[in-house]
């Protein structure tokens, strides 16, 4: 069992990274919690500071409203301003009592006095006093000049009759309310009781609060040196609020103390712990890496002992050298495998050629077992039957090597592109197709356009049934290759044998079968049992028939078509080889060209059928014909074209031959709906106007009338002698639909096709009363 020490060491080496990650996560978690705590503390501090600010505003507003309410409701204030209350009067004593009551009812009120503008007199709780000798006269002068209705900054107030001063804030109102000019009502709020009230709402041991007026003077806390004095530098400011009604600023925060210090200390401890873990992890990684590097170091020592290639750099790192060594090893292995595969392919091909040629049969069994060309390997202890199938491809252009074989039999890198894929596909398809029908196939290219397939199967079916299956397999292969790859081919099937030593006999019989493709081929497949045993008919025996055909052609007799058909029937009956048939066709082409040599100088159109691209195309089509019937059709079409041109050229002064040829062509193709003067002009190399002139001169009628009469005669015959529908008869005589046919029939014959059939008229009866 393999030990996983290397795996454990690598796993253990990643442990510091795990610790580092965990430490960083814990550190970040603490920082996040700390930040959340700070944010929540700031929110709480802001709420507390806002509460204090609202309480101070409400208290000062209450004092202001109570004093103003008293001044508005107590008529003694108005009497004093008018000068009615004199010293010693009862009204004056009542007014002084009111001022004392305002002072006693509000803890924050330090003092309240009234200034009368009329005689510059001040009324305080102690009585009347001249304003010029009053200690707060400077404030009265400032208030008379100012329109400010807000509380004043902190100022010093000296009580009349004493020499001690106190800090107060003041507000003045003009009397009578709201904007009178007879005097002033001055309200003084003591700073000390205000500080006492604020102090009851705060905890100076945890937080601090600093209140400054609009001029920047400190209202709270008390001045430095007192018991509750706190500096802003002693803590961290968290809140700063401005009172829009008072114009004061409220600054608060956490007071420097044990809680703040502990939070800071814990933060520093975690930072130190995180740094320590990082340093230890780095040291540990270096240590573990040095230990784990030993196998790589030993590997590098072995690589460095190998001889270096010329021009190869040696200053690369060890990973590059290891990768380079592995790539070199892999490349050498791939090259060796490819070379070995190529050698096997070459040896298999040589073995295949030896089997087909019947050489080296004494070592065939050993070589088959060694190379294993069949998919299921060697078969032992069973009786096998063999057959050879030869596939000949047509119009296939594959690159050819020096030894005459297609590139598909070479190494894969020596060929490429579509040719490579096509050739490999052909080999793969034939082998897979053989496996589908229960045969083991081995295919090789024998020449540029020929593949041989050695088929093998266990004996289980009769030889006749095996032959049928071989033909079915060949037919399926032809259809698949033609449908998917567009390849035209012919397959020759050799005879069945039971011994490898006689494989060449099956191969030769398959090759021989390919030579009878034109006469014996059934859908491009020829079997060896169809090949005649003896065929000694000499080729020169066909020369008289060829000469007679060309002679009739030369004399412009229509008998040459019959003679040409007899020639092909004779070749099919005699089961001639493909090469012999092509030789006969070549003789006919050469003899026809020699007979037409005189007319080629007269007609350029005739010359192009024997020289140039048109002649080459004709020869290629004939030589590549897939069957004898196709070859007959090609020869007939081409010779008919030459014949029409020849007749037209030979009768330059007479038009009867051309008219006769046109008439015959019309009688043969009257069923074509596209038959027209333009069609005839293209067919016979004459203008449409001249063709129309020929018909008027020869038949005393137009071309259209001639064609219509011909079609109607045939239609009348079919209506009388057959039970076909009118639509079918219309298409048979060259009309696209029955409507047009019926309209023309009634115009020519005089009755509709249906009435004509009911009356059972004869064609000659109808023509006497017809439209022609």
């Amino acid at each position: 069992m393999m030990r996983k020490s290397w795996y454990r060491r690598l796993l253990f080496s990643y442990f510091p990274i795990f610790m580092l990650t965990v430490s960083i996560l814990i550190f970040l978690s603490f920082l996040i919690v700390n930040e959340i705590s700070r944010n929540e503390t700031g929110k709480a501090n802001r709420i507390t500071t806002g509460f204090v600010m609202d309480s101070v505003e409400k208290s000062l507003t209450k004092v202001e409203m109570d004093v103003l309410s008293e001044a508005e409701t107590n008529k003694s204030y108005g009497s004093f301003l008018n000068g009615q209350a004199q010293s010693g009067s009862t009204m004056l004593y009542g007014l002084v009592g009111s001022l004392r009551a305002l002072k006693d009812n509000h803890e924050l009120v330090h003092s309240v006095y009234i200034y009368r503008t009329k005689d510059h007199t001040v009324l305080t709780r102690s009585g009347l006093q001249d304003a010029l000798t009053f200690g707060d006269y400077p404030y009265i002068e400032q208030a008379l000049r100012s329109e400010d209705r807000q509380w004043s900054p902190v100022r010093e107030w000296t009580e009349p009759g004493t020499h001690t001063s106190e800090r107060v804030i003041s507000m003045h109102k003009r009397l009578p309310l709201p904007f009178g000019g007879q005097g002033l009502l001055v309200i003084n709020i003591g700073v000390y009781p205000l500080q006492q009230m604020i102090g009851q709402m705060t905890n100076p041991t945890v937080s601090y609060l600093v209140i400054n007026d609009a001029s920047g003077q400190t209202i709270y806390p008390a001045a430095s040196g007192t018991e509750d004095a706190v500096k802003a530098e002693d803590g961290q400011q968290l809140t700063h609020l401005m009172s829009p009604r008072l114009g004061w600023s409220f600054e608060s925060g956490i007071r420097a103390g044990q809680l703040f210090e502990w939070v800071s200390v814990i933060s520093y401890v975690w930072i130190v712990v995180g740094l320590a873990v990082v340093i230890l992890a780095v040291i540990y990684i270096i240590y573990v890496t040095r230990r784990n590097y030993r196998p790589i170091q030993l590997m590098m020592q072995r690589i460095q002992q190998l001889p270096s290639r010329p021009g190869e750099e040696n200053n690369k790192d060890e990973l590059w050298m290891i990768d380079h060594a592995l790539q070199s090893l892999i490349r050498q292995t791939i090259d060796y495998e490819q070379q070995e595969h190529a050698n096997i392919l070459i040896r298999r091909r040589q073995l295949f050629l030896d089997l087909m040629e019947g050489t080296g049969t004494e070592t065939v069994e050993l070589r088959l077992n060694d190379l294993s060309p069949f998919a299921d390997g060697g078969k032992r202890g069973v009786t096998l039957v063999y057959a050879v199938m030869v596939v000949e491809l047509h119009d296939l252009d594959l690159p050819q090597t020096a030894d005459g074989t297609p590139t598909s039999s070479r190494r894969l890198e020596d060929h490429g592109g579509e040719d490579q894929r096509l050739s490999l596909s052909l080999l793969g398809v034939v082998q897979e197709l053989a496996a589908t029908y229960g045969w083991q196939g081995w295919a090789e290219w024998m020449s540029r356009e020929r593949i041989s397939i050695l088929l093998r199967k266990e004996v289980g079916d009769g030889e006749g049934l095996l032959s049928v299956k071989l033909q079915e397999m060949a037919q399926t292969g032809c259809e698949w290759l033609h449908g998917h790859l567009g390849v035209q081919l012919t397959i020759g099937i050799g005879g069945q044998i039971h011994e490898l030593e006689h494989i060449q006999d099956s191969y030769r019989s398959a090759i021989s079968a390919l030579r009878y493709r034109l006469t014996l081929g059934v859908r491009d497949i020829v079997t060896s049992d169809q090949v005649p045993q003896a065929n000694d008919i000499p080729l020169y025996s066909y020369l008289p028939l060829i000469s007679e055909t060309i002679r009739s052609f030369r004399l412009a007799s229509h008998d040459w078509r019959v003679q040409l058909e007899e020639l092909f029937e004779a070749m099919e009956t005699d089961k001639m080889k493909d090469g012999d048939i092509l030789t006969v066709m070549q003789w006919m082409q050469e003899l026809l060209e020699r007979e037409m040599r005189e007319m080629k100088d007269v007609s350029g159109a005739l010359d192009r059928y024997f020289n140039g691209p048109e002649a080459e195309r004709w020869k290629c089509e004939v030589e590549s014909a897939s069957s004898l019937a196709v070859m007959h059709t090609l020869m007939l079409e081409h010779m008919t074209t030459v014949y029409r041109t020849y007749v037209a050229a030979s009768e330059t002064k007479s038009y009867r031959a051309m008219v006769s040829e046109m008439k015959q062509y019309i009688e043969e193709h009257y069923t074509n709906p596209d038959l027209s003067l333009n069609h005839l002009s293209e067919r016979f190399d004459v203008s449409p106007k001249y063709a129309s002139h020929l018909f008027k001169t020869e038949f005393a009628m137009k071309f259209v009338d001639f064609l219509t009469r011909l079609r109607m005669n045939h239609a009348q015959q079919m209506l009388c002698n057959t039970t076909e529908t009118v639509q079918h008869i219309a298409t048979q005589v060259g009309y696209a639909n029955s409507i047009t046919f019926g309209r023309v029939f009634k115009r020519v014959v005089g009755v509709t096709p249906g009435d004509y059939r009911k009356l059972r008229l004869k064609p000659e009866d109808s023509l006497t009363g017809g439209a022609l």
Side-chain angles (χ1 to χ4, degrees):
M1 182 178 180
M2 182 180 67
R3 297 177 60 187
K4 296 185 178 180
S5 58
W6 179 262
Y7 170 77
R8 295 191 185 94
R9 282 190 292 174
L10 287 179
L11 183 63
F12 187 59
S13 65
Y14 297 143
F15 184 72
I17 300 176
F18 171 76
M19 294 298 298
L20 175 62
T21 304
V22 172
S23 301
I24 292 176
L25 290 176
I26 296 175
F27 174 67
L28 292 177
S29 300
F30 180 80
L31 292 180
I32 293 173
V33 172
N34 186 25
E35 186 65 24
I36 294 174
S37 301
R38 288 176 181 271
N39 294 335
E40 294 299 325
T41 303
K43 291 180 182 179
N45 183 263
R46 187 178 184 87
I47 293 173
T48 302
T49 304
F51 173 75
V52 173
M53 183 179 69
D54 292 340
S55 299
V56 172
E57 289 179 347
K58 291 179 180 179
S59 299
L60 295 179
T61 302
K62 186 176 186 306
V63 170
E64 179 183 357
M65 298 304 296
D66 290 347
V67 173
L68 294 178
S69 177
E70 179 65 20
E72 185 177 5
T73 57
N74 194 340
K75 298 181 179 181
S76 299
Y77 285 83
S79 300
F80 174 76
L81 294 175
N82 294 328
Q84 297 177 5
Q86 299 297 326
S87 177
S89 64
T90 305
M91 185 180 295
L92 185 61
Y93 284 116
L95 188 57
V96 171
S98 175
L99 296 177
R100 289 179 178 177
L102 290 175
K103 167 68 173 63
D104 295 338
N105 292 336
H106 298 87
E107 296 179 354
L108 299 179
V109 176
H110 179 272
S111 60
V112 180
Y113 65 89
I114 302 173
Y115 169 73
R116 187 167 57 190
T117 307
K118 182 176 182 180
D119 54 0
H120 299 288
T121 303
V122 177
L123 177 63
T124 63
R125 291 179 301 170
S126 302
L128 290 174
Q129 187 176 353
D130 187 7
L132 298 178
T133 60
F134 187 63
D136 205 25
Y137 185 70
Y139 177 78
I140 295 174
E141 290 182 334
Q142 181 182 359
L144 291 173
R145 294 191 301 268
S146 174
E147 297 296 333
D148 189 9
R149 300 293 187 271
Q150 300 293 332
W151 293 95
S152 69
V154 177
R155 64 190 185 90
E156 296 293 332
W157 160 265
T158 302
E159 186 74 21
T162 63
H163 299 284
T164 59
S165 61
E166 296 183 13
R167 304 172 69 220
V168 297
I169 58 175
S170 303
M171 174 179 282
H172 63 276
K173 297 293 182 179
R174 292 182 182 272
L175 296 177
L177 298 174
F179 306 110
Q182 298 178 358
L184 292 175
L185 175 62
V186 180
I187 307 169
N188 295 321
I189 301 296
V191 174
Y192 180 75
L194 188 62
Q195 291 175 347
Q196 293 297 320
M197 184 189 72
I198 296 173
Q200 294 176 1
M201 293 184 291
T202 60
N203 186 1
T205 59
V206 177
S207 61
Y208 73 91
L209 175 65
V210 177
I211 303 176
N212 297 323
D213 59 13
S215 63
Q217 299 186 51
T218 302
I219 297 177
Y220 183 86
S224 178
T226 61
E227 180 180 359
D228 295 333
V230 178
K231 296 181 180 179
E233 293 79 4
D234 294 337
Q236 182 180 8
Q237 179 180 333
L238 299 177
T239 305
H240 178 80
L241 299 177
M242 288 295 297
S243 173
R245 301 178 61 182
L246 302 176
W248 297 355
S249 65
F250 292 76
E251 298 179 355
S252 63
I254 301 298
R255 186 175 182 181
Q258 294 181 352
L259 177 61
F260 188 77
E261 291 177 357
W262 272 107
V263 172
S264 301
V265 169
I266 293 175
S267 300
Y268 293 146
V269 168
W270 274 105
I271 292 175
V272 172
V273 170
L275 291 175
V277 171
V278 171
I279 294 173
L280 292 176
V282 171
I283 295 174
Y284 183 77
I285 288 175
I286 294 174
Y287 170 73
V288 173
T289 303
R290 290 177 62 88
R291 290 191 57 187
N292 293 345
Y293 184 72
R294 289 189 179 276
I296 299 178
Q297 188 175 9
L298 294 175
M299 192 183 303
M300 286 300 305
Q301 291 176 359
R302 295 181 179 179
I303 292 176
Q304 290 175 353
Q305 293 176 359
L306 298 175
S308 60
R309 297 180 179 179
E312 187 177 287
E313 299 181 4
N314 295 324
N315 56 352
K316 299 290 185 179
D317 57 19
E318 58 272 13
L319 294 179
W320 182 90
M321 296 184 68
I322 293 174
D323 180 69
H324 183 69
L326 289 175
Q327 288 183 359
S328 178
L329 179 61
I330 293 172
R331 184 170 55 252
Q332 292 177 6
T333 303
I334 293 175
D335 291 343
Y336 174 77
E337 291 178 353
Q338 290 180 349
Q339 185 64 37
E340 184 66 19
H341 180 68
N343 292 335
I344 291 176
L345 293 179
I346 294 174
R347 292 168 59 192
R348 284 181 180 176
R349 174 172 171 75
Q350 187 59 47
L351 174 58
F352 193 89
L353 294 176
D354 292 343
L355 287 173
M356 298 299 109
E357 295 173 0
T359 59
T361 55
E362 63 279 358
T363 60
V364 165
E365 292 290 345
L366 296 177
R367 294 165 69 185
L368 279 177
N369 295 331
D370 182 30
L371 299 175
S372 301
F374 292 100
D376 61 348
K379 291 280 189 177
R380 295 184 179 181
V382 296
T383 303
L384 300 174
V385 60
Y386 297 90
V388 176
M389 184 182 296
V390 180
V391 181
E392 189 171 65
L393 300 103
H394 310 290
D395 300 330
L396 183 65
D397 187 13
L398 289 176
Q400 195 170 7
T401 59
D403 57 357
T405 61
T407 54
S408 57
S409 61
R410 312 289 291 178
R411 291 180 59 183
L412 191 62
E413 63 269 22
D414 292 338
H415 57 87
E418 297 297 330
D419 296 325
Q420 168 200 344
R421 287 190 288 271
L422 177 59
S423 58
L424 293 177
S425 299
L426 290 174
L427 290 177
V429 165
V430 295
Q431 291 179 340
E432 292 180 6
L433 186 62
T436 303
Y437 282 84
W439 291 81
Q440 290 296 323
W442 176 14
E444 292 286 350
W445 286 91
M446 300 298 292
S447 64
R448 182 181 179 84
E449 296 178 348
R450 183 171 291 178
I451 301 175
S452 294
I453 310 169
L454 177 58
L455 300 171
R456 184 178 71 177
K457 183 179 177 63
E458 296 182 14
V459 175
D461 302 325
E463 292 187 1
L465 187 57
L466 286 176
S467 299
V468 173
K469 290 184 176 180
L470 280 174
Q471 295 182 28
E472 292 178 358
M473 179 178 69
Q475 184 61 38
T476 303
C478 286
E479 295 174 355
W480 193 95
L481 290 173
H482 180 69
H484 293 78
L485 300 180
V487 177
Q488 295 287 349
L489 50 86
T490 304
I491 298 178
I493 303 176
Q496 303 171 23
I497 59 173
H498 297 279
E499 297 179 358
L500 284 173
E501 291 78 4
H502 302 292
I503 288 293
Q504 68 274 15
D505 297 336
S506 179
Y507 173 71
R508 291 169 183 170
S509 61
I511 294 295
S512 178
L514 288 177
R515 297 172 182 170
Y516 292 88
R517 174 176 63 92
L518 295 175
T519 54
L520 299 179
V522 180
R523 290 180 295 182
D524 299 325
I525 299 173
V526 186
T527 59
S528 59
D529 53 0
Q530 296 175 312
V531 176
Q533 299 298 324
N535 189 3
D536 299 331
I537 300 176
L539 288 180
Y540 61 82
S541 61
Y542 294 93
L543 286 176
L545 188 54
I546 295 174
S547 300
E548 188 66 23
T549 303
I550 299 303
R551 180 175 176 274
S552 299
F553 189 94
R554 179 68 176 83
L555 297 177
S557 173
H558 296 298
D559 295 338
W560 67 267
R561 292 185 175 88
V562 179
Q563 294 166 352
L564 181 64
E565 185 176 356
E566 292 176 356
L567 175 63
F568 276 91
E569 289 178 355
M571 290 189 293
E572 184 176 6
T573 303
D574 296 338
K575 296 183 179 180
M576 294 180 60
K577 296 180 180 178
D578 296 351
D580 296 342
I581 294 175
L582 292 177
T583 301
V584 171
M585 292 297 102
Q586 185 178 1
W587 289 351
M588 177 171 285
Q589 292 172 357
E590 292 177 354
L591 186 58
L592 179 62
E593 180 181 3
R594 186 176 59 186
E595 291 293 334
M596 296 292 105
R597 187 172 302 162
E598 297 179 0
M599 297 303 299
K600 287 194 296 181
D601 297 334
V602 178
S603 175
L606 188 62
D607 181 67
R608 74 171 185 264
Y609 295 121
F610 299 97
N611 294 294
E614 187 72 22
E616 293 297 329
R617 184 182 63 82
W618 174 35
K619 293 180 180 179
C620 292
E621 289 179 353
V622 172
E623 292 176 357
S624 60
S626 59
S627 65
L628 201 60
V630 174
M631 184 179 291
H632 179 210
T633 302
L634 292 173
M635 286 292 298
L636 181 61
E637 289 180 356
H638 182 75
M639 292 181 68
T640 300
T641 303
V642 175
Y643 179 78
R644 293 194 182 103
T645 305
Y646 162 69
V647 171
S650 62
E651 297 183 1
T652 56
K653 295 183 180 180
S654 177
Y655 53 83
R656 292 186 178 275
M658 179 175 291
V659 172
S660 176
E661 192 71 11
M662 286 184 180
K663 179 176 179 296
Q664 181 179 353
Y665 182 83
I666 294 172
E667 290 174 350
E668 293 175 356
H669 299 85
Y670 72 93
T671 59
N672 184 6
D674 297 329
L675 188 60
S676 62
L677 283 174
N678 292 330
H679 184 83
L680 290 177
S681 66
E682 293 176 359
R683 188 70 178 178
F684 294 95
D685 290 334
V686 295
S687 65
K689 186 176 181 180
Y690 182 67
S692 177
H693 172 71
L694 292 179
F695 270 89
K696 289 181 180 180
T697 304
E698 184 67 19
F699 301 107
M701 66 176 64
K702 296 181 181 180
F703 162 78
V704 175
D705 296 333
F706 179 85
L707 179 61
T708 302
R709 182 173 180 178
L710 178 64
R711 287 175 173 175
M712 293 303 103
N713 286 336
H714 285 281
Q716 293 172 38
Q717 294 290 343
M718 295 179 70
L719 287 171
C720 291
N721 302 325
T722 66
T723 59
E724 298 290 344
T725 63
V726 175
Q727 175 65 35
H728 181 73
I729 293 174
T731 57
Q732 290 296 313
V733 296
Y735 289 93
N737 55 74
S738 60
I739 297 176
T740 304
F741 167 72
R743 184 169 59 250
V744 175
F745 189 91
K746 185 175 181 181
R747 177 173 59 84
V748 175
V749 180
V751 294
T752 63
D755 294 337
Y756 183 88
R757 174 171 281 174
K758 292 178 181 179
L759 296 174
R760 295 293 180 177
L761 296 176
K762 295 182 179 180
E764 56 271 22
D765 296 337
S766 61
L767 286 176
T768 58
L772 274 180

